[in-house]
Amino acid sequence: MLEPIVQRMLLTDKGSVEAPAGTGKTEQITLLAGELPGRWLILTHTVAGVEAIRRRLRKRQVHGEKTQVDTIAAWSYRWARAFPVNSGLASSWTAQSRDWTAVMNAAASLVESGAVGSILKASFDGVLVDEYQDCTVSHHRLVKALSQIMRCYVFGDPLQAIFGFGNDPLVDWESETIKAFPLAGSFSTGHRWNQAGDPDLGMWLIAQRPNFRAGNFDFANAPNCVTWVQSAEEREPRDLKGDCFAKGMRDGHTLSVLHSSVNDAGRAELAKFIGATTVEPIGGRAERNFYDALRSLTGTHLVGAVLELAGSGFAGANAAEKRKRVESILNNPSRMRVPPTPAEFALSNIARDPSLNAVLDALNCIALEPGVTLVRPELINGVRATLRHCVENPDVQLEDASWHVANTRREKGRIIRNRSVGSTLLVKGLEFDHVVITPEACTTRHHWYVALTRAAKSVKILSAKSMFSV
């Protein structure tokens, strides 16, 4: 059933709803798409978000012809590329440039020009935009232009605005969003926690929103499902091991430990100590740095880069010992008393043959060694898939292969193990039974809110004080 707030919003041609985490935003969007007459365009920001909406639509048996669900970026690119004269999108633009602001502004220019107004009116009866708090100034420009042509309703939560996009800042919810799309109201029922059988957590999180919005946090007076543990502001991953568990954890439950958003190596080390795996950004910095090494290094320097990746991505890889063994294989093979292992032989082969196939072989051999386990599966498997794509398609460049693999991974969605280490930026939009928040996980009130609302059953906070302001 549509919420009364949504029904009230539908009395006008444009509007917005503030939708706190866990209050049924996606459900309301899919209900709208199914019940409103005509065909509706539904836009969100990520491929995972697109798939989540499509799953809900299929569950509700909404006919596919009633909706088009897409990311804002992909939809904008197709329209801007199809009408380059009116959009002004340069023919030289490529996705590898990562300049999506140019695409958004091109799409906005196209819609504003009026050149495609009749086509849009014939194609859609309205547009629904999800996660509007993550819209930038250029996104907002496009959606406002669309709202001049068709009905337009946006859903978002300003407390979850944690992403940044460089020179294209997030649009301000108070001064810009609700000015363009009048606010109909805010959802206030914690459906996520009600369904999980822990309504107290949901009621507390929703009741505390005014305090969270002001940057005030009080864990001393929280319900029993919220545990505060006094902790130093900075702790080594090894020292956090004893606190990274959740009371009430059962077989099949999921636990996410949220750690620093900027220290991916620290997250990997913490995962090793607690027997977890990491959540990684697709095509993230560690992956890009490794591809740079593949393009620029040779000989033992390249071997070192492969071992650095293996040491970070696997537990039990013994990268330092392997480095010494490889040096002996290359420099003094006759003095080695213990024959090289398959992994050591493959690594030494990289120094002689710095090919992508040799690197792939070495990583595969390391993965098969006894006692070696994957700690950063998304990173290692992404690298291996990229190398494999290059080996199987010799004419494909490394950069193009990595882009292809990244897009495939986005479309398939990520698989997160029951025990994971991530950050607020990486788990936003995801849900876990239990969450542990380390002292380095949150830097702003928005990050704190996102971290707290990832849990369906319990939250443990490690911080210096139980009451503080940020």
Side-chain angles (χ1 to χ4, degrees), residues 151-350:
R151 299 172 73 183
C152 184
Y153 305 110
V154 306
F155 299 77
D157 179 8
L159 264 177
Q160 295 188 69
I162 63 172
F163 292 123
F165 298 91
N167 295 327
D168 193 12
L170 294 177
V171 66
D172 184 79
W173 180 269
E174 300 294 338
S175 64
E176 296 294 334
T177 298
I178 62 178
K179 178 182 177 182
F181 304 100
L183 184 65
S186 178
F187 294 156
S188 58
T189 302
H191 295 291
R192 173 187 299 168
W193 300 279
N194 292 345
Q195 292 169 5
D198 290 273
D200 288 350
L201 179 55
M203 288 189 291
W204 179 74
L205 288 167
I206 292 172
Q208 288 293 312
R209 275 182 66 86
N211 291 326
F212 295 160
R213 196 188 292 266
N216 300 321
F217 294 83
D218 177 5
F219 301 123
N221 299 300
N224 291 334
C225 49
V226 179
T227 303
W228 172 72
V229 176
Q230 189 169 28
S231 171
E233 293 183 359
E234 293 185 8
R235 293 170 63 182
E236 292 296 321
R238 183 189 303 274
D239 299 331
L240 288 167
K241 179 179 178 180
D243 287 320
C244 291
F245 66 92
K247 63 181 181 181
M249 186 83 174
R250 301 284 186 270
D251 288 344
H253 280 190
T254 54
L255 168 69
S256 178
V257 178
L258 301 184
H259 196 46
S260 168
S261 293
V262 297
N263 186 0
D264 52 355
R267 294 195 301 271
E269 285 302 304
L270 180 56
K272 291 177 184 178
F273 284 120
I274 67 173
T277 57
T278 61
V279 182
E280 299 281 340
I282 294 176
R285 181 175 59 249
E287 197 169 333
R288 296 196 303 272
N289 288 346
F290 182 67
Y291 297 145
D292 288 341
L294 292 179
R295 283 187 283 261
S296 61
L297 301 179
T298 58
T300 56
H301 295 293
L302 180 55
V303 175
V306 174
L307 282 170
E308 183 178 351
L309 176 73
S312 175
F314 294 100
N318 297 319
E321 179 62 26
K322 280 184 172 61
R323 187 188 298 267
K324 295 178 182 178
R325 293 272 295 169
V326 169
E327 290 175 355
S328 296
I329 294 170
L330 294 172
N331 299 322
N332 300 293
S334 61
R335 299 181 61 181
M336 295 192 67
R337 297 180 179 179
V338 179
T341 66
E344 291 166 353
F345 182 80
L347 285 163
S348 63
N349 191 45
I350 294 174

Side-chain angles (χ1 to χ4, degrees), residues 71-152:
T71 65
I72 299 178
W75 187 88
S76 298
Y77 174 73
R78 282 195 296 274
W79 281 80
R81 180 61 81 205
F83 300 90
V85 174
N86 294 101
S87 71
L89 183 64
S91 59
S92 60
W93 188 92
T94 64
Q96 286 88 338
S97 72
R98 299 176 181 270
D99 184 12
W100 287 98
T101 301
V103 173
M104 302 309 307
N105 282 321
S109 295
L110 172 65
V111 177
E112 290 167 349
S113 73
V116 293
S118 59
I119 302 174
L120 288 168
K121 286 181 180 179
S123 302
F124 307 107
D125 289 85
V127 58
L128 307 172
V129 187
D130 189 19
E131 302 287 0
Y132 208 82
Q133 77 280 345
D134 293 328
C135 281
T136 65
V137 170
S138 64
H139 292 136
H140 186 56
R141 178 188 169 196
L142 169 64
V143 178
K144 283 200 301 180
L146 289 172
S147 73
Q148 300 303 309
I149 298 172
M150 64 186 82
R151 299 172 73 183
C152 184

Side-chain angles (χ1 to χ4, degrees), residues 315-317 368-373:
L368 292 173
E369 286 192 315
V372 171
T373 57

